[in-house]
Amino acid sequence: MAKEGSGSILQFAPLQSSVEEGFWHRLSSLKLNKFGIDDSPIPISGFYAPCSHPQVSNHLTLLAVSLPSDSNDESAMPPTIPSNRNRCSVPGILYNTNTMESFQAFDKQGLLKAEAMKIWEDIHSGKAVEDCAVLSRILLISFADLKKWNFHYWFAFPALALDPPATLVDLRPASQWFTLEEAESVTAACNEWRNSSATADVPFFLVSIGSDSRAAARHLKDLEACQHDGQKLLFAFYDPCHLPNNPGWPLRNFLALISARWNLKTVRFLCYRENRGFADLNLSLVGEALITVQPGWRERQCVPNAVGWELNKGRKVPRCINLAKSMDPTRLAISAADLNLKLMRWRALPSLNLDILFSLKCLLLGAGTLGCQVARMLMAWGVRKITLLDNGRVAMSNPLRQSLYTLDDCLNGGDFKATAAVRSLQRIFPAVEAEGVIMAIPMPGHPVSSQEEKTVLEDCKRLSDLIESHDVIFLLTDTRESRWLPTLLCANTNKITITAALGFDSFLVMRHGPGPLNSNPNLKAETETSLAAGVDNLALTNTDGRHRLGCYFCNDVVAPTDSTSNRTLDQQCTVTRPGLAPIASALAVELLVGILHHPNGMFAEAEIANSNSGGNFELPLGILPHQIRGSLPHFQQMTLVGHSSNTCTACCSTVVSEYRKRAMEFILQAINHPTYLEDLTGLTELMRSASTFQLDWDDEIEAADDECVEL
């Protein structure tokens, strides 16, 4: 088709976009973790290569690496990606909006004009000659609906419009334009250009052919050296288009450069295309165009009109892609679960430390009404590692109040709660790392026979190991005595410990203070390696003089004992108002999150409502109380402070020290002898003194009564 179409307007094949899924996943991550509501322009890079198939055009592609990195440094810097022969870099800009309305309200022509001005300025400044990659640009507008994983987007490839348009004089396959010797030399020169690491990704270049039919590929800045009498000169570019009758889109800005920079009227161009990585002159095109622009068009201040918005199936409308179906369900669940937490950091809670929550290991002692609710709340806060310990089975009465169980868990005698709860957590959130431990907690007041001692000691050792391997311990059992051994072990290892306990219409949620041997907030919570080192730290106060916060047993004047024997049915069951457990469970988890985000962690002083005692720190989550006591009849809750007691049967220095000296022998004695803990801590003597004081007080009252005179 040597002269077919001669004298007609030169028409260009538009670029086509292609976006890999990784780009959208990376954008989602940046939006949630870095940009938030900041909708400033984002620098991006796209990639294209010469056409390599006679029936398929190459697309301009965006990859995950097209976006900036996730690091907080250099956020406004464009991504730096090494190019190669199959990936020529194209600079661009992304405008990602916060709402669909903002996406639809974009001044698209204004944005396109602004990008065209950048190209025009690069042409006049000479930058486009030195770095010809800037002749092509990408403009992308988008809205990411991260709830539904819908991405609405629209590409533009800004192109400067010649006025009037260029006229096509000739366009034919390159093999028909060159002589046989020229064709061989041009092929060799182009292959050498493409195979050199220095020029493989340079998409615009010159091809000069001497009178001896020898061809050479040169940089644009070498134009003057190529303009000799008798030399043929072609302006070559990597053409992503496969069409036999149209050059590709990059030629538009190339012609604008040629006209504005060198004022050439007649331009011969080479649309370089390949086959299997080598120059293919049958697929490549050579054309000749006439450029006759109006006076003043080349002036720097007169920016030409711009075109370039991509059509969607022939229509001027944006595209939309939904990635929900293509994503792995577990990955989709993780993204959805983390969405609310990451959105908190946009405005309400920028200081939220998700890394701490994601890595936290929580041990829940009790998988009943409280345990089920606490596990759900922990997952909602992003906690992924949860262990539930319980030896009970799911009863028919449980599913209505205990949210992790269903009727199927009750059949055939009932499944163990620990394993049923883990199955339920994994159904709710497949990415949770949940473990169930079927075990009874040894308790004071529940004596064991000599035959049972070995099993009980094994349980004690197992419980100790579990507490040691977790970061946070929740005491959620339904008897007072079952909380004693965990409280002692937590005090010994200085673990964050949260207790939640229910009455019929009241509840208690509290955090335990640090252990008596580990009371220094500047020390790590580690068990001392020797008793001698630990005795020096025995104290009711922290090293800064503040009183230690108490544990669940610090206000008791009797040791824990059997509370389950000889009880009626209503006393054997945990009879509470149904709304109580969710309230207490939620407060327990919120209390934990407050501890994790306090500068002093578990060593933080107790704060109460309307108190300024701990106001040295700005705490976005609010105050950090010691105890929260709630009453449903009055719809009230109070924040209280209870300091540690030197006669506490679980956390005082006497008990912890005795445990460190005698270990399991001490625990067995506490289990088998109900009064042992009271004798050890001095409670027995205290009660005896209190009784004597009461008797003396009664005598004084009687004497006073004798002196009264009736009027």
Side-chain angles (χ1 to χ4, degrees):
M1 47 172 300
K3 292 286 182 179
E4 188 175 334
S6 177
S8 62
I9 293 176
L10 179 59
Q11 295 183 326
F12 309 88
L15 267 174
Q16 298 176 358
S17 65
S18 174
V19 187
E20 290 194 355
E21 285 188 15
F23 176 87
W24 299 120
H25 290 304
R26 179 74 166 271
L27 177 61
S28 303
S29 175
L30 288 169
K31 178 68 175 172
L32 288 172
N33 301 319
K34 184 176 180 179
F35 299 142
I37 58 173
D38 183 2
D39 56 2
S40 303
I42 304 168
I44 58 174
S45 291
F47 307 96
Y48 80 100
C51 172
S52 56
H53 193 282
Q55 295 181 337
V56 180
S57 296
N58 272 343
H59 292 190
L60 190 143
T61 305
L62 294 187
L63 313 172
V65 293
S66 297
L67 286 160
S69 68
D70 291 328
S71 64
N72 291 324
D73 299 331
E74 307 291 341
S75 59
M77 296 297 293
T80 54
I81 308 101
S83 300
N84 55 52
R85 59 174 288 115
N86 297 316
R87 205 163 73 175
C88 299
S89 181
V90 178
I93 201 81
L94 164 65
Y95 293 88
N96 186 58
T97 65
N98 289 309
T99 65
M100 188 63 182
E101 290 76 12
S102 298
F103 173 76
Q104 294 171 336
F106 263 129
D107 178 8
K108 289 183 282 293
Q109 195 56 39
L111 292 175
L112 191 65
K113 184 77 171 179
E115 294 304 301
M117 288 179 64
K118 297 176 184 177
I119 299 173
W120 190 241
E121 181 60 30
D122 288 340
I123 288 174
H124 280 276
S125 68
K127 182 179 179 180
V129 175
E130 295 295 327
D131 179 15
C132 60
V134 299
L135 276 176
S136 299
R137 292 191 68 85
I138 308 166
L139 171 61
L140 175 61
I141 60 174
S142 67
F143 166 62
D145 183 350
L146 301 184
K147 272 193 171 182
K148 300 178 180 178
W149 284 91
N150 285 328
F151 297 88
H152 304 264
Y153 66 99
W154 202 336
F155 274 93
F157 307 106
L160 302 170
L162 297 173
D163 185 20
T167 302
L168 180 63
V169 176
D170 186 14
L171 184 67
R172 50 182 138 166
S175 58
Q176 298 179 17
W177 198 86
F178 299 115
T179 66
L180 185 59
E181 292 181 353
E182 290 174 341
E184 291 179 353
S185 185
V186 168
T187 299
C190 289
N191 286 336
E192 182 180 357
W193 180 268
R194 287 284 288 153
N195 290 327
S196 170
S197 59
T199 56
D201 61 343
V202 179
F204 300 93
F205 57 102
L206 303 172
V207 174
S208 61
I209 306 173
S211 56
D212 57 356
S213 299
R214 294 178 64 111
R218 311 281 290 272
H219 288 279
L220 297 184
K221 62 185 178 181
D222 299 330
L223 176 64
E224 292 184 4
C226 299
Q227 292 177 321
H228 298 300
D229 292 339
Q231 278 203 338
K232 297 178 182 178
L233 181 64
L234 291 94
F235 291 86
F237 70 100
Y238 295 166
D239 189 356
C241 174
H242 78 282
L243 298 177
N245 300 326
N246 301 94
W249 198 254
L251 181 59
R252 296 196 69 134
N253 290 336
F254 200 13
L255 292 179
L257 167 69
I258 294 168
S259 176
R261 188 77 182 172
W262 296 304
N263 195 21
L264 297 180
K265 303 291 193 300
T266 302
V267 178
R268 289 175 179 171
F269 55 87
L270 168 63
C271 305
Y272 175 79
R273 301 170 182 178
E274 295 181 337
N275 185 13
R276 298 182 179 178
F278 297 97
D280 186 342
L281 297 191
N282 290 317
L283 188 58
S284 299
L285 302 177
V286 170
E288 183 176 333
L290 296 179
I291 303 176
T292 55
V293 295
Q294 294 182 355
W297 182 88
R298 298 184 182 89
E299 297 297 324
R300 190 167 189 165
Q301 66 273 17
C302 300
V303 181
N305 291 328
V307 294
W309 285 105
E310 185 179 23
L311 298 181
N312 181 9
K313 298 179 181 179
R315 301 168 57 207
K316 291 184 177 181
V317 293
R319 301 171 188 263
C320 180
I321 183 173
N322 180 273
L323 298 186
K325 293 181 180 179
S326 65
M327 292 181 66
D328 174 71
T330 299
R331 182 178 177 183
L332 189 60
I334 293 173
S335 299
D338 294 346
L339 179 62
N340 184 58
L341 296 172
K342 292 181 177 180
L343 292 180
M344 286 184 187
R345 299 200 300 186
W346 284 17
R347 298 179 196 262
L349 199 57
S351 60
L352 180 63
N353 191 332
L354 295 181
D355 292 335
I356 290 180
L357 293 166
F358 292 161
S359 62
L360 199 67
K361 298 171 70 175
C362 292
L363 174 61
L364 278 56
L365 303 181
T369 308
L370 287 168
C372 290
Q373 294 289 350
V374 167
R376 295 290 298 260
M377 291 296 106
L378 287 172
M379 289 202 304
W381 265 110
V383 176
R384 301 285 183 263
K385 301 176 177 66
I386 300 173
T387 302
L388 296 108
L389 184 149
D390 200 300
N391 72 326
R393 293 181 179 271
V394 184
M396 285 290 183
S397 61
N398 292 154
L400 290 177
R401 296 179 298 112
Q402 301 177 10
S403 59
L404 294 181
Y405 308 127
T406 65
L407 179 63
D408 290 341
D409 299 319
C410 309
L411 304 179
N412 302 316
D415 295 336
F416 281 106
K417 287 185 175 182
T419 54
V422 167
R423 286 199 307 269
S424 182
L425 291 176
Q426 292 170 341
R427 283 195 298 268
I428 295 167
F429 185 56
V432 69
E433 299 175 32
E435 180 184 358
V437 177
I438 303 169
M439 193 189 89
I441 299 175
M443 299 177 285
H446 295 255
V448 297
S449 64
S450 57
Q451 293 83 2
E452 298 173 310
E453 281 187 5
K454 182 179 179 181
T455 302
V456 170
L457 291 178
E458 288 175 353
D459 288 342
C460 292
K461 180 64 169 63
R462 190 179 185 189
L463 180 61
S464 177
D465 292 342
L466 284 168
I467 288 175
E468 183 69 39
S469 62
H470 287 75
D471 305 307
V472 179
I473 317 301
F474 282 90
L475 307 187
L476 310 170
T477 54
D478 51 8
T479 63
R480 179 169 166 267
E481 60 267 30
S482 62
R483 301 168 191 261
W484 174 80
L485 181 56
T487 299
L488 167 61
L489 296 175
C490 290
N492 179 59
T493 54
N494 220 36
K495 296 290 183 177
I496 296 175
T497 310
I498 308 287
T499 284
L502 304 178
F504 167 66
D505 54 11
S506 61
F507 65 84
L508 164 68
V509 174
M510 67 177 293
R511 59 183 173 106
H512 293 203
L517 309 188
N518 306 274
S519 305
N520 189 344
N522 297 317
L523 296 176
K524 293 182 179 180
E526 297 178 351
T527 304
E528 299 291 347
T529 56
S530 70
L531 181 62
V535 169
D536 292 336
N537 285 326
L538 296 181
L540 291 176
T541 60
N542 295 328
T543 55
D544 57 4
R546 293 182 308 208
H547 213 295
R548 280 196 308 115
L549 296 180
C551 75
Y552 179 69
F553 295 93
C554 277
N555 289 335
D556 291 350
V557 293
V558 293
T561 187
D562 186 358
S563 64
T564 60
S565 300
N566 194 27
R567 297 297 179 98
T568 62
L569 181 62
D570 64 318
Q571 294 171 323
Q572 295 174 30
C573 299
T574 306
V575 179
T576 65
R577 290 174 61 165
L580 207 62
I583 297 172
S585 302
L587 288 173
V589 176
E590 294 293 327
L591 186 59
L592 167 64
V593 177
I595 295 171
L596 296 175
H597 286 80
H598 195 284
N600 293 333
M602 69 179 298
F603 296 95
E605 284 189 86
E607 297 170 300
I608 60 176
N610 303 319
S611 169
N612 296 321
S613 60
N616 294 329
F617 304 103
E618 293 184 5
L619 301 176
L621 287 169
I623 67 168
L624 186 60
H626 176 222
Q627 300 181 20
I628 307 164
R629 293 181 181 266
S631 169
L632 275 185
H634 302 99
F635 288 93
Q636 290 180 338
Q637 64 185 39
M638 301 179 293
T639 54
L640 304 174
V641 180
H643 293 300
S644 59
S645 168
N646 59 0
T647 58
C648 176
T649 58
C651 81
C652 74
S653 58
T654 303
V655 171
V656 175
S657 177
E658 194 70 13
Y659 167 71
R660 291 193 176 188
K661 283 191 289 187
R662 299 174 56 209
M664 296 305 163
E665 180 187 353
F666 163 75
I667 292 176
L668 273 180
Q669 189 168 357
I671 290 173
N672 290 326
H673 301 280
T675 63
Y676 170 66
L677 290 173
E678 295 176 1
D679 296 340
L680 176 67
T681 58
L683 281 177
T684 303
E685 182 62 29
L686 177 65
M687 294 302 295
R688 187 180 298 115
S689 300
S691 299
T692 303
F693 175 78
Q694 180 69 30
L695 290 174
D696 291 343
W697 184 77
D698 288 344
D699 290 342
E700 291 177 5
I701 293 296
E702 291 174 3
D705 289 343
D706 291 341
E707 296 174 0
C708 290
V709 178
E710 185 175 350
L711 298 178

